[in-house]
Amino acid sequence: MPAQMYYDQDADLSLLKNKTVAIIGYGSQGHAHAQNLRDSGCNVVVGQRPGSPNYDLAVEHGFKPVSAAEAAEKGDLINILLPDEFQAEVYNNDIKPKLKPGNLLLCSHGFNIHFGQVVPPKGVDSALVAPKGPGHLVRSEYARGGGVPCLIATGEGCSPEGEKLALAYAKGIGGTRAGVLRTTFAEETETDLFGEQVVLCGGLSALVKMGYETLIEAGYQEESAYFECVHELKLIVDLIYQGGLDYMRYSISNTAEYGDYIRGPQIITEDTRAAMRKALKEIQSGQFARDFILENKAGKPMFQALRRQEREHPVEKVGKRLRALMPWIKAKTV
């Protein structure tokens, strides 16, 4: 059965005409949602704590930020776009007491609702509208007339009116221009965590580091190792993004394509698949969520130690030096 997709003609933006949309958190996703919705003609209020860089950014963008509680009180649709680890506390202390029957509680990642950290009260609909891209892309694609594909899901007992409002919200941020895929909170949350941990971030980072280390151990120059295992990765990813694996293989040399076929299965083996399945089970069971929540409640000691350790990896040091020699790539630092 084909996936259910929604486009501009399936969503009614006029449903938001007399509504106020509260955006809680003006970070990576928040700034994009707030600006796109405003440009779509919606009334937007931003909840962001004063004294933070994101507060100043919201002011710079023409908003008048208020507290999370005040934003939730003013909003008919309330989207919590804070980092996952902060959502439960802010929700329970500031947002939940202000919710009223008929409100629509939104999120752009189902983590907290799916794992029971945010529980919508009776009479309040809940839904998920999740752009499949970072906030800066959500904003830039909208500004040039395009959009970033989104996922949409509704919470248990969500009314038909709440579902229509969520779809209107997706249109307001530009999602229906590219397509909005119907899903569930469980599917969005679990596949998102799996993709991040196993392929996009965790798997890729480990593969890059191990490839680099293997070349260095064999006596090759660190610059050559960096170019082969890190720098050229963008070329390959861009080709896959444009036309899939087949187009990537069409675009590279026959030597590289042959090596792809014979070496890939030797590196990513059935043992790797078993590790992937284990990671997925730990996500589905809530084990990862529990560990992440407890880590944050303890003050992130392991998280911070791992971050420091990774920043000291040799591939990071040589990469920083080489990127500084290539001003056209507009190197970033944190």
Side-chain angles (χ1 to χ4, degrees), residues 4-327:
Q4 188 171 3
M5 297 288 295
Y6 303 98
Y7 295 93
D8 276 349
Q9 67 271 19
D10 302 311
D12 184 0
L13 193 58
S14 69
L15 294 174
L16 301 182
K17 185 176 180 180
N18 297 315
K19 305 286 186 183
T20 295
V21 183
I23 300 296
I24 312 295
Y26 203 76
S28 173
Q29 288 288 335
H31 80 90
H33 290 225
Q35 292 180 90
N36 290 5
L37 287 163
R38 181 176 62 186
D39 290 351
S40 292
C42 300
N43 180 37
V44 179
V45 59
V46 171
Q48 177 65 45
R49 62 182 177 85
S52 65
N54 289 340
Y55 182 96
D56 296 336
L57 183 63
V59 172
E60 182 183 326
H61 289 167
F63 293 101
K64 296 179 180 179
V66 296
S67 68
E70 186 175 346
E73 188 170 26
K74 291 181 176 180
D76 299 292
L77 292 79
I78 301 95
N79 197 352
I80 309 176
L81 292 169
L82 299 166
D84 288 333
E85 62 268 32
F86 300 135
Q87 287 192 18
E89 182 178 359
V90 174
Y91 172 73
N92 287 310
N93 293 339
D94 301 320
I95 299 173
K96 186 177 180 180
K98 303 297 183 180
L99 296 178
K100 304 173 288 292
N103 283 166
L104 174 63
L105 183 67
L106 290 160
C107 63
S108 288
H109 179 37
F111 183 94
N112 279 282
I113 288 182
H114 179 56
F115 290 115
Q117 303 305 295
V118 168
V119 181
K122 188 175 181 180
V124 172
D125 287 334
S126 62
L128 172 146
V129 177
K132 298 312 293 176
H136 67 83
L137 191 65
V138 174
R139 179 56 183 162
S140 64
E141 286 296 300
Y142 178 94
R144 73 178 189 87
V148 170
C150 292
L151 304 181
I152 191 168
T154 51
E156 185 176 351
C158 183
S159 69
E161 293 76 15
E163 185 172 354
K164 291 176 183 177
L165 285 174
L167 198 53
Y169 181 101
K171 185 172 185 176
I173 64 172
T176 51
R177 296 175 180 177
V180 177
L181 171 66
R182 179 82 185 197
T183 185
T184 65
F185 272 84
E187 182 173 79
E188 185 279 332
T189 303
E190 292 166 6
T191 58
D192 188 75
L193 292 174
F194 178 84
E196 291 168 349
Q197 295 172 27
V198 171
V199 180
L200 304 176
C201 304
L204 181 59
S205 298
L207 188 66
V208 163
K209 288 186 299 178
M210 192 167 292
Y212 176 87
E213 292 164 357
T214 301
L215 288 177
I216 296 300
E217 289 168 1
Y220 296 103
Q221 296 181 87
E222 58 186 17
E223 292 85 357
S224 292
Y226 178 84
F227 284 133
E228 289 301 326
C229 296
V230 184
H231 184 77
E232 289 193 48
L233 195 60
K234 183 182 186 306
L235 167 66
I236 300 301
V237 170
D238 283 350
L239 292 171
I240 295 172
Y241 184 82
Q242 292 170 332
L245 295 174
D246 188 53
Y247 180 69
M248 178 272 289
R249 288 164 174 157
Y250 164 80
S251 303
I252 61 178
S253 69
N254 288 339
T255 314
E257 183 181 0
Y258 179 70
D260 174 345
Y261 297 143
I262 66 166
R263 297 297 183 205
Q266 296 176 18
I267 303 302
I268 308 300
T269 67
E270 286 303 313
D271 287 340
T272 311
R273 191 190 304 276
M276 288 182 173
R277 287 172 173 158
K278 180 175 183 293
L280 180 58
K281 285 181 180 178
E282 291 176 355
I283 289 168
Q284 293 170 328
S285 71
Q287 181 178 331
F288 171 79
R290 181 202 63 191
D291 293 346
F292 181 68
I293 292 165
L294 291 176
E295 173 70 13
N296 281 280
K297 286 184 177 180
K300 303 183 181 179
M302 186 168 69
F303 190 4
Q304 298 290 5
L306 289 170
R307 179 181 282 167
R308 287 193 300 270
Q309 178 181 317
E310 289 296 307
R311 284 177 175 171
E312 291 300 312
H313 192 281
V315 76
E316 290 287 74
K317 294 181 178 180
V318 67
K320 185 176 182 180
R321 175 166 56 81
L322 290 174
R323 288 190 296 273
L325 301 175
M326 297 179 281

